[in-house]
Amino acid sequence: MTRVRVLLADDEHLIRGALAALLGLEDDLEVVAEAASGPEALAMARAHRPDVAVLDLEMPGADGVTVATKLRAELPSCRTMIVTSHGRPGHLKRALSAGVRGFVPKTVSARRLAEIIRSVHAGNRYVDPELAADAISAGDSPLTVREAEVLGFATDGAPVAEIAERAALSQGTVRNYLSSAAAKLGAENRHTAVRLARERGWV
Amino acid sequence: MTRVRVLLADDEHLIRGALAALLGLEDDLEVVAEAASGPEALAMARAHRPDVAVLDLEMPGADGVTVATKLRAELPSCRTMIVTSHGRPGHLKRALSAGVRGFVPKTVSARRLAEIIRSVHAGNRYVDPELAADAISAGDSPLTVREAEVLGFATDGAPVAEIAERAALSQGTVRNYLSSAAAKLGAENRHTAVRLARERGWV
DNA sequence: CGCCGCACATGACAAATGTCAGGAGCGGAA
DNA sequence: TTCCGCTCCTGACATTTGTCATGTGCGGCG
């Protein structure tokens, strides 16, 4: 019997180590590599060519979805899945379009995770039902491409002038986009608009 | 030999379960209870009277520090420690003044955590060196009580009128506090000021 | 007691922001 | 081809902020 070769990437040593130990107890799984950052995950994947890569969404260097995208190009035979602590709807959509085959919150048990890894390895997809429901109820972004882009530059209360410069648009245009985006989101001002859009993964 | 009785509280089942398994391997530690939320942690502590409570900082219901405060009152013999993913300096200060004896990031290994649990149980304190350095370099809050209070109401881009109402102050006064607070924090506007203050745990 | 810092306020001005109207180019769908 | 929506712009206006000057009352401290 040949075991499923797993790559584990998570910056929290506590979790990664514990998880590696628990998954290793399953006799059909084998943790062949561990990584604590996005770039390291890529390097380990190249070196060990795992069957399944289990990636944390939040990692220093490059987030899980970014790593998954690159892996898909470099190692098409390697299935990828994402685990995350507090999953926002938009991340799920982004992950799926990056070719990720599994998306689970960290609230599942290790045993359950092992099952999902097997299932993903067998070619199936798995998305946590609750996250899926969130994603569906959040619906599609009502924002146009430019509105979303401008909102993205409007983080941490940057002044309009700065946003305009970064987006290479005139200040008036930026104001218009910000205004219409806020209207679509039902927000009073751009700051709450940014927050809402982020929560729903629309930026 | 009597083993150290440990309570584990973390809303992420993946971590809690894995951790429980790994800590259980240490022959002088015994995980006697697990909880997935703040209130549940309190209830389990009352029922099982552990020697050491290992609490996640971010939990639904009540955060780790809140739980620690209540535990200190109800079960003085129970030592408390906090584990956290991304620790902000202010949390550390808050935790220490709540009587927490250990403060560690989730980037440590399970073995290391076990050592720290033992040390805390023996009556020592332990604070992660890196977090401690952050806390020290962040220094004390330069904000007056009112400035901090007003900043606290200024979350998610609320308009000044709303802040004034919530703080029962005049709008002019609110603007003044916001302005002076932003100046002290070196921020351009109140939104970045709020973010900075939050990062440093000054709100 | 007199000084100083803090809490709280007012009023006024400048700058940033939100809102509205309107106009030009451009690509896709009817 | 005509129409419509998206992108981008300009200009003007009302509102919201940030900033400053200035004043009062209070409590602590030398």
Side-chain angles (χ1 to χ4, degrees):
Chain A
M1 180 195 75
T2 157
R3 294 190 287 178
V4 181
R5 297 159 47 79
V6 176
L7 162 71
L8 266 188
D10 193 317
D11 59 324
E12 299 176 352
H13 195 301
L14 204 52
I15 291 141
R16 179 161 38 89
L19 213 50
L22 280 204
L23 290 181
L25 292 182
E26 308 279 325
D27 28 282
D28 55 343
L29 300 184
E30 183 182 9
V31 177
V32 294
E34 296 182 27
S37 73
E40 194 185 341
L42 276 173
M44 295 304 264
R46 285 191 201 103
H48 293 91
R49 311 193 144 259
D51 300 316
V52 179
V54 177
L55 309 168
D56 187 14
L57 190 53
E58 293 120 3
M59 278 190 295
D63 75 3
V65 178
T66 310
V67 174
T69 307
K70 291 190 179 159
L71 274 185
R72 186 162 185 69
E74 289 189 37
L75 289 176
S77 70
C78 172
R79 319 272 196 194
T80 54
M81 43 186 299
I82 300 279
V83 292
T84 177
S85 16
H86 305 291
R88 304 200 200 300
H91 292 150
L92 174 53
K93 201 164 295 182
R94 207 161 61 91
L96 289 181
S97 59
V100 165
R101 319 277 303 188
F103 199 98
V104 297
K106 283 185 181 169
T107 48
V108 304
S109 69
R111 173 122 312 160
R112 187 91 191 80
L113 180 64
E115 285 172 22
I116 296 167
I117 291 176
R118 279 184 208 107
S119 171
V120 163
H121 179 246
N124 300 312
R125 290 188 181 211
Y126 179 86
V127 171
D128 178 74
E130 195 151 345
L131 291 179
D134 282 358
I136 291 166
S137 74
D140 262 348
S141 171
L143 304 176
T144 68
V145 178
R146 275 306 172 302
E147 285 167 349
E149 184 185 336
V150 171
L151 257 198
F153 285 128
T155 49
D156 52 55
V160 171
E162 192 178 322
I163 302 172
E165 193 183 356
R166 287 206 265 177
L169 292 177
S170 88
Q171 298 201 8
T173 308
V174 168
R175 274 202 285 264
N176 286 338
Y177 283 147
L178 249 23
S179 180
S180 65
K184 286 178 181 176
L185 296 174
E188 296 253 319
N189 55 47
R190 69 193 160 106
H191 303 290
T192 71
V194 167
R195 195 170 44 81
L196 284 176
R198 281 184 116 59
E199 277 174 14
R200 300 180 193 172
W202 291 342
V203 293
Chain B
M1 179 196 74
T2 158
R3 294 191 285 178
V4 181
R5 298 159 49 77
V6 176
L7 162 71
L8 266 188
D10 193 316
D11 59 323
E12 299 177 351
H13 194 302
L14 204 54
I15 291 141
R16 180 160 38 88
L19 213 51
L22 280 205
L23 291 181
L25 292 182
E26 309 279 325
D27 26 285
D28 54 345
L29 300 183
E30 182 183 8
V31 177
V32 294
E34 297 184 26
S37 73
E40 195 184 342
L42 277 173
M44 295 305 264
R46 286 191 201 105
H48 293 90
R49 312 194 144 261
D51 300 318
V52 178
V54 178
L55 308 168
D56 186 13
L57 190 53
E58 294 121 1
M59 278 189 295
D63 76 3
V65 178
T66 310
V67 174
T69 308
K70 293 191 178 162
L71 274 185
R72 187 163 185 68
E74 290 189 38
L75 290 176
S77 69
C78 173
R79 319 274 197 192
T80 55
M81 43 186 298
I82 299 279
V83 293
T84 178
S85 17
H86 305 292
R88 306 200 198 300
H91 291 150
L92 174 53
K93 202 164 296 182
R94 208 161 61 90
L96 289 182
S97 58
V100 164
R101 319 278 302 189
F103 200 97
V104 297
K106 284 185 181 169
T107 47
V108 305
S109 69
R111 174 124 307 163
R112 187 92 191 79
L113 180 65
E115 285 172 23
I116 296 166
I117 291 176
R118 278 184 209 108
S119 171
V120 163
H121 178 246
N124 299 313
R125 291 189 180 209
Y126 178 86
V127 170
D128 179 74
E130 196 151 343
L131 292 179
D134 282 356
I136 291 165
S137 74
D140 263 346
S141 172
L143 305 175
T144 67
V145 177
R146 276 308 174 300
E147 284 167 351
E149 185 186 334
V150 170
L151 258 197
F153 284 127
T155 48
D156 54 53
V160 170
E162 192 179 321
I163 303 171
E165 193 184 355
R166 288 206 265 177
L169 291 177
S170 88
Q171 299 200 8
T173 308
V174 168
R175 275 204 287 267
N176 286 338
Y177 283 147
L178 251 22
S179 179
S180 65
K184 286 178 181 175
L185 296 173
E188 296 253 320
N189 55 46
R190 69 193 160 108
H191 303 290
T192 71
V194 168
R195 194 171 45 81
L196 284 176
R198 281 185 114 60
E199 276 173 14
R200 298 178 195 173
W202 290 342
V203 292

